[in-house]
């Protein structure tokens, strides 16, 4: 590959360079790909140069934001990786209540900057996840019920297109592109910066409540009924887990299989005890770690559980209804969770996210109540097969009770039919936008929308 023709201010890393081994790695330790070139892009000009190079050379191109993608779409074998991680600028405009974040920011970068102004925009639940991939796929987290998906607070993006041109997309400028990037993933170009609306979220009342497995059936029903009638201010995702073997969890619970909810309440803190009274009383929980905390503390609460390099296998579904029959299957499989990093989560995506029309953005499943994820994680390759089998069996048992498609940010590479099922009626329009902006499928290392021209 004629790398000499590629002039990247942030630097190029080749296989023979020191640092290549580290630079080629993504968050999922199961992904072991060897790109020919890694372009560490420092600005939009670098991105334009790299996209032009890939297109002209006919090189496979992968784009990396935070590198957290399960199937490893932030890298490739033999091609060029655009690594956006140097592009971490964040600028808060407190008067307009907006934040502009560079294409390589993590949620930790953004939360840190906005918290100083007592504001936040909805991100994911682990602070090291990239703003880029998470947002372009939709963005589910603690603020989803209150503020919507990450894309529902997105106001504007700067994009380098497949032909190397640079455009801004918003509801007024290139609205077709703006519609498509809100859920359509990295299919349409490289986003060099994102502008989000900020919300007045500073201190939240949050944390987990855990129940023993003999209360799991009741706990799941209690959770289902409570969240259905709860104000948008209250969110909580349900989980089957093994208690992590370290503080703040008491030693006698370490590695015990349990179920629980990680709550986040964004209403007035002086109302929190009243809101949590039925939750504290139900069971009561074996463990409650609830209290007021800065929003970034909640956002980074579980970072230590998921360092880079762990082996990860993902399955997911959207869920409309948590029937008693489905709950029985959750008990059977969830109770078998193999280790303290593997888990099943049910993220509520109703509330503000559910009030957006299913055709208003590319993200189609606005009528679903939950995004479920079955997550097999291990540090030991010897036990990973067992974790993968647990995920597959669990998912296969529950899939018949799902809405059909899945949150594409939480699956592996499951093929074209799964992508189409997840976009449902929005898929043909995504193909139209793809035909217009990337007819040669330069951006294809992703949950791909295939052009038809
Ligand atoms: C530990 C962990 C926790 C997670 N928690 C959540 C969560 O709470 N909520 C949630 O919604 N998801 C969550 N996810 C899933 C996450 O949304 C996806 O893994 C997502 O792909 C990560 O984005 P990234 O930028 O880090 O990944 P990358 O691997 O860098 O990129 C993912 C995809 O997005 C594209 N992309 C990334 N940045 C850009 C950009 N600037 N322009 C164009 N294309 C780009 C890439 O080309 C690739 O196709 C989590 C993942 C992990 C590993």
């Amino acid at each position: 590959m004629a790398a000499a023709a590629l002039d990247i201010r942030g630097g190029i890393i080749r296989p023979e360079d020191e640092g290549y081994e580290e630079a080629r790695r993504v968050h999922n330790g199961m992904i072991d790909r060897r790109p020919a070139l890694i372009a560490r892009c420092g600005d939009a000009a670098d991105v334009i140069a790299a996209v032009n190079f890939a297109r002209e050379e006919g090189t496979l191109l992968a784009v990396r934001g935070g590198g957290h993608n399960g199937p490893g779409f932030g890298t490739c074998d033999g091609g060029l990786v655009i690594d956006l991680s140097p592009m971490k600028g964040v600028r808060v405009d407190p008067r307009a209540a907006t934040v502009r974040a560079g294409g390589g920011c993590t949620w930790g970068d953004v939360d840190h900057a906005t918290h100083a102004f007592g504001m936040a925009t909805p991100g994911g639940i682990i602070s090291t996840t990239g703003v880029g991939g998470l947002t372009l796929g939709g963005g589910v987290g603690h603020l989803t019920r209150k503020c919507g998906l990450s894309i529902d607070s997105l106001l504007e993006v700067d994009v380098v297109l497949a032909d190397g041109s640079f455009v801004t997309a918003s509801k007024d400028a290139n609205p077709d592109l703006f519609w498509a990037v809100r859920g359509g993933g990295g299919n349409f170009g490289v986003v060099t910066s994102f502008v989000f609306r900020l919300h007045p979220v500073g201190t939240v009342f949050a944390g987990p409540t855990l129940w023993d497995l003999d209360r799991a059936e009741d706990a799941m029903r209690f959770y289902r009924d409570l969240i259905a009638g709860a104000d948008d201010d209250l969110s909580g995702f349900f989980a089957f887990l093994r208690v992590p073997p370290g503080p703040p969890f008491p030693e006698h619970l370490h590695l015990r299989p349990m179920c629980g909810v990680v709550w986040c309440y964004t209403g007035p803190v002086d109302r929190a005890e009243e809101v949590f009274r039925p939750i504290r009383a139900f069971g009561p929980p074996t463990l409650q770690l609830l209290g007021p905390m800065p929003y970034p503390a909640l956002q980074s609460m579980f970072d230590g559980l998921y360092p880079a390099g762990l082996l990860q296998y993902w399955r997911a579904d959207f869920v409309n209804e948590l029937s008693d029959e489905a709950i029985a299957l959750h008990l059977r499989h969830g109770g078998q969770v193999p280790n303290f990093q593997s888990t099943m989560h049910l993220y509520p995506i109703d509330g503000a996210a559910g009030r957006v029309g299913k055709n208003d953005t590319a993200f189609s499943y606005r009528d679903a109540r939950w995004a479920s994820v079955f997550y097999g994680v291990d540090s030991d390759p010897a036990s990973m097969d067992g974790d993968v089998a647990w995920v597959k069996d669990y998912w296969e048992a529950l899939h018949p009770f799902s809405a059909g498609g899945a949150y594409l940010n939480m699956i592996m590479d499951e093929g074209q039919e799964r992508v189409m099922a997840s976009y449902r009626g929005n898929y043909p329009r995504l193909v139209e936008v793809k035909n217009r902006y990337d007819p040669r499928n330069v951006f294809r290392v992703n949950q791909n929308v295939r052009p038809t021209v």
Side-chain angles (χ1 to χ4, degrees):
M1 207 178 290
L6 182 58
D7 181 18
I8 297 290
R9 201 173 169 84
I12 296 174
I13 304 175
R14 302 169 183 79
E16 62 274 22
D17 291 336
E18 200 183 323
Y20 175 79
E21 281 306 313
E22 197 185 330
R24 76 183 180 88
R25 301 230 173 263
V26 289
H27 192 263
N28 186 352
M30 294 229 291
I31 308 298
D32 183 23
R33 298 192 188 127
R34 306 189 68 84
L37 294 172
I38 301 167
R40 291 178 49 80
C41 295
D43 57 17
D46 278 351
V47 175
I48 291 169
V51 168
N52 285 339
F53 178 87
R55 189 190 60 253
E56 284 159 13
E57 297 286 319
T59 304
L60 185 63
L61 176 65
V63 178
R64 186 186 308 167
H68 266 216
N69 184 260
F73 290 144
T75 187
C76 60
D77 267 327
L80 168 66
V81 170
I82 290 183
D83 175 4
L84 297 169
S85 62
M87 295 179 65
K88 281 192 182 296
V90 184
R91 183 175 188 276
V92 177
D93 181 339
R95 266 172 302 176
T98 60
V99 59
R100 179 180 289 275
C105 282
T106 63
W107 283 104
D109 299 327
V110 173
D111 291 338
H112 170 79
T114 63
H115 186 67
F117 298 92
M119 294 189 279
T121 199
I125 65 159
I126 300 285
S127 81
T128 54
T129 306
V131 169
L134 181 139
T135 300
L136 296 170
V140 172
H142 294 295
L143 301 184
T144 304
R145 296 192 83 239
K146 171 78 173 169
C147 310
L149 302 173
S150 299
I151 49 172
D152 300 332
S153 290
L154 191 61
L155 299 173
E156 186 182 297
V157 281
D158 286 344
V159 191
V160 175
L161 300 174
D163 64 3
S165 60
F166 177 89
V167 297
T168 295
S170 67
K171 73 177 174 30
D172 302 318
N174 300 301
D176 54 346
L177 180 61
F178 190 55
W179 176 86
V181 297
R182 285 177 293 163
N187 271 287
F188 307 96
V190 184
V191 176
T192 54
S193 79
F194 296 82
V195 179
F196 295 96
R197 181 184 303 116
L198 289 172
H199 307 267
V201 174
T203 299
V204 294
F205 195 93
T209 51
L210 300 184
W211 293 273
D212 277 301
L213 286 183
D214 58 0
R215 300 309 311 269
E217 184 175 357
D218 292 343
M220 221 169 178
R221 287 205 185 119
F222 167 75
Y223 165 77
R224 171 190 69 189
D225 299 342
L226 181 111
I227 210 81
D231 287 350
D232 293 353
D233 281 338
L234 182 68
S235 186
F237 67 84
F238 194 93
F240 280 99
L241 70 150
R242 275 181 196 268
V243 177
F249 299 100
E251 239 178 279
H252 72 280
L253 293 183
H254 287 180
L255 300 178
R256 186 186 290 188
M258 298 185 82
C259 72
V261 178
V262 179
W263 303 97
C264 174
Y265 174 69
T266 46
V269 172
D270 58 9
R271 273 211 59 219
E273 280 305 337
E274 184 191 329
V275 170
F276 279 90
R277 195 168 300 130
I279 296 166
R280 286 190 186 282
F282 176 77
T286 311
L287 185 73
Q288 316 189 16
L289 292 173
L290 295 164
M293 63 185 77
Y295 175 70
L298 174 65
Q299 288 296 90
S300 51
M301 186 179 269
F302 303 107
D303 285 6
L305 264 183
Y306 297 109
L310 291 169
L311 312 172
Q312 301 166 45
Y313 183 81
W314 300 74
R315 289 270 173 117
D317 269 322
F318 288 118
V319 177
N320 290 338
E321 203 191 329
L322 200 49
S323 66
D324 289 349
E325 210 180 333
I327 287 177
L329 291 165
H330 273 293
L331 298 184
R332 184 182 314 157
H333 293 270
Q336 307 290 324
V337 55
N339 60 43
F340 71 93
Q341 283 156 323
S342 298
T343 189
M344 188 290 305
H345 289 173
L346 274 175
Y347 297 108
I349 54 169
D350 57 346
R355 290 192 290 274
V356 176
K358 67 176 191 293
N359 308 124
D360 291 356
T361 64
F363 187 99
S364 160
Y365 272 86
R366 297 291 187 164
D367 45 351
R369 303 241 341 258
W370 287 279
S372 66
V373 60
F374 307 84
Y375 191 28
V377 188
D378 214 311
S379 52
D380 183 356
S383 35
M384 190 59 188
D385 283 354
D387 306 329
V388 172
W390 174 74
V391 168
K392 285 183 176 165
D393 289 350
Y394 196 166
W395 179 85
E396 273 159 24
L398 267 302
H399 182 63
F401 297 87
S402 77
Y407 178 35
L408 292 173
N409 270 348
M410 292 187 176
I411 67 170
M412 303 301 278
D413 190 353
E414 296 182 9
Q416 196 62 17
E417 271 182 28
R418 192 78 166 134
V419 174
M420 291 167 80
S422 300
Y423 288 120
R424 297 192 293 190
N426 286 340
Y427 191 76
R429 186 168 165 194
L430 281 166
V431 174
E432 272 174 37
V433 181
K434 183 79 172 175
N435 286 343
R436 177 160 177 213
Y437 287 95
D438 184 19
R440 288 169 54 194
N441 213 4
V442 171
F443 302 109
R444 62 179 174 278
V445 182
N446 45 39
Q447 302 289 0
N448 198 224
V449 172
R450 287 193 194 144
T452 53
V453 290

